[in-house]
């Protein structure tokens, strides 16, 4: 049986969460989920539990997901090599078919099913549904990789207003009638901006922005746009973190109040960041001290 002290500690956790619940109640929060943070089934369930809990306490959660490891595995089975340029997947017509099948099919529907099994209500959609996301070719050298030019928030609000968690796959319809693979971080940034989200939570498989990736003590706890751009210029931010940090900046410029880069491998990292004094990862603001 738990001691009185242990019960008191649990009660204190709930009390500590109260002002944060009040801050986020009835506000939109966009969670970007992807990368290797999706590969551990136990952690995946914990992330979905966090999302369902947030919805139950009145937060309007929108989940935007990628699925790089699943796409890599599917392409490897076909004998197709995955190629990346500055963290973006080079996507030819054959690869695009696989991306659409994996993201809007296997990955998206498995997340919807998992949320449902926990007790939440979710609906899977992608940028093609209701022309939610429209894009143009980002760079001919990348193939069918899109840069979003328009977000229609109505399909998302329709789901939110009916009590569903929208689970959005990062695929967009093209201005030219084609289909485009969109970086999930950029998709989340554009959606969070269009929704006027209270915050964007970008989950990844690193603790956050670190000056030295091998040294956790170099974690950057808070940074603004100017500081983030300097970190990219100096080479501290590199590889796959470049599009992630760029998308965080993109979200802030679109009007999102704050962005968090969290380690999806940490159990319940979303709740730790949003509902406790502890926090985790890197917080990005338009301007520190503003």
């Amino acid at each position: 049986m738990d001691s009185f002290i242990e019960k008191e500690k649990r009660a204190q956790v709930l009390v500590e969460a109260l002002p944060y619940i009040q801050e986020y109640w009835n506000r939109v929060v966009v969670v970007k989920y992807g990368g290797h943070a999706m590969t551990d089934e136990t952690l995946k369930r914990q992330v979905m539990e966090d999302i369902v809990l947030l919805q139950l306490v009145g937060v309007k959660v929108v989940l935007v997901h990628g699925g790089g490891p699943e796409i890599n595995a599917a392409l490897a089975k076909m004998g197709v090599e995955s190629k990346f340029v500055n963290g973006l997947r080079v996507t030819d017509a054959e690869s695009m078919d696989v991306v659409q099948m994996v993201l809007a099919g296997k990955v998206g529907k498995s997340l919807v099913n998992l949320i449902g099994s926990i007790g939440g209500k979710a609906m899977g959609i992608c940028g093609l549904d209701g022309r939610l996301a429209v894009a143009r070719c980002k760079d001919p050298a990348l193939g069918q990789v899109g840069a979003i030019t328009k977000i229609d928030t109505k399909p998302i609000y329709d789901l939110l207003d009916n009590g569903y968690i929208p689970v959005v796959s990062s695929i967009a319809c093209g201005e030219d009638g084609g289909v485009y693979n969109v970086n999930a971080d950029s998709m989340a940034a554009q959606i969070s901006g269009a929704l006027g989200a209270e915050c964007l939570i970008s989950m990844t498989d690193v603790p956050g922005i670190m000056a030295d990736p091998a040294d956790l003590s170099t974690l950057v706890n808070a940074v603004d746009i100017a500081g983030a751009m300097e970190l990219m210029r100096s080479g501290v931010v590199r590889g796959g973190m470049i599009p992630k940090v760029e998308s965080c900046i993109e979200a802030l410029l679109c009007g999102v109040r704050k962005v968090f880069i969290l380690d999806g491998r940490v159990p319940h990292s979303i709740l730790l960041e949003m509902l406790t004094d502890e926090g985790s990862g890197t917080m990005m603001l338009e301007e520190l001290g503003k």
Side-chain angles (χ1 to χ4, degrees):
M1 182 178 295
D2 291 340
S3 69
F4 176 79
I5 293 176
E6 288 172 332
K7 290 179 179 178
E8 188 177 28
K9 286 181 179 178
R10 290 184 182 181
Q12 185 58 41
V13 169
L14 296 175
V15 171
E16 182 183 311
L18 181 58
Y20 297 103
I21 292 173
Q22 292 172 325
E23 177 184 354
Y24 289 108
W25 184 82
N26 206 35
R27 303 291 182 89
V28 174
V29 169
V30 177
V31 176
K32 184 272 171 178
Y33 183 53
H36 294 280
M38 299 180 72
T39 58
D40 185 297
E41 292 302 317
T42 300
L43 287 172
K44 184 188 294 185
R45 184 177 182 85
Q46 290 173 343
V47 171
M48 296 307 118
E49 287 172 344
D50 287 2
I51 288 172
V52 171
L53 189 150
L54 289 175
Q55 184 196 38
L56 290 175
V57 298
V59 182
K60 295 181 177 181
V61 185
V62 178
L63 178 63
V64 179
H65 70 87
E70 293 272 13
I71 296 170
N72 291 343
L75 288 173
K77 287 180 181 178
M78 298 170 59
V80 178
E81 180 184 359
S82 294
K83 298 179 181 178
F84 296 86
V85 176
N86 290 328
L88 298 175
R89 181 185 301 276
V90 178
T91 310
D92 58 16
E94 182 182 25
S95 298
M96 187 64 240
D97 287 341
V98 175
V99 168
Q100 184 171 340
M101 174 183 68
V102 172
L103 292 185
K106 182 180 179 182
V107 175
K109 298 310 178 186
S110 68
L111 292 174
V112 168
N113 186 48
L114 180 54
I115 290 171
S117 71
I118 294 168
K121 286 175 59 179
M123 190 76 72
I125 56 176
C126 72
L128 306 180
D129 297 310
R131 293 184 70 81
L132 186 159
V134 179
R136 57 172 174 76
C137 179
K138 184 177 181 69
D139 182 346
L142 294 172
Q144 289 178 242
V145 172
I148 293 175
T149 57
K150 181 182 178 183
I151 294 289
D152 184 349
T153 59
K154 189 176 186 304
I156 296 175
Y157 277 123
D158 285 347
L159 292 175
L160 290 172
D161 291 343
N162 283 282
Y164 289 94
I165 297 168
V167 178
V168 186
S169 304
S170 53
I171 300 164
C173 49
E175 294 175 341
D176 56 5
V179 179
Y180 285 95
N181 177 21
V182 177
N183 177 268
D185 291 297
S186 181
M187 183 85 144
Q190 289 290 329
I191 287 176
S192 60
L195 292 170
E198 182 71 13
C199 72
L200 165 63
I201 296 174
S202 182
M203 305 194 74
T204 184
D205 52 3
V206 296
I209 299 175
M210 294 190 292
D212 179 357
D215 185 356
L216 187 57
S217 68
T218 66
L219 175 69
V220 178
N221 296 115
V223 68
D224 57 16
I225 291 177
M229 292 179 69
E230 178 56 34
L231 290 173
M232 285 193 288
R233 279 194 295 265
S234 65
V236 170
V237 173
R238 52 189 179 274
M241 283 297 287
I242 293 174
K244 184 171 295 296
V245 171
E246 287 178 339
S247 71
C248 292
I249 294 173
E250 186 179 1
L252 292 170
L253 293 176
C254 286
V256 178
R257 286 189 57 199
K258 51 193 171 185
V259 179
F260 301 103
I261 300 176
L262 302 184
D263 191 341
R265 302 167 302 177
V266 175
H268 300 296
S269 57
I270 296 177
L271 296 185
L272 287 172
E273 182 58 61
M274 290 186 61
L275 303 183
T276 75
D277 295 332
E278 288 184 37
S280 62
T282 299
M283 177 176 68
M284 190 179 297
L285 303 170
E286 183 177 4
E287 184 179 342
L288 289 176
K290 186 175 178 179

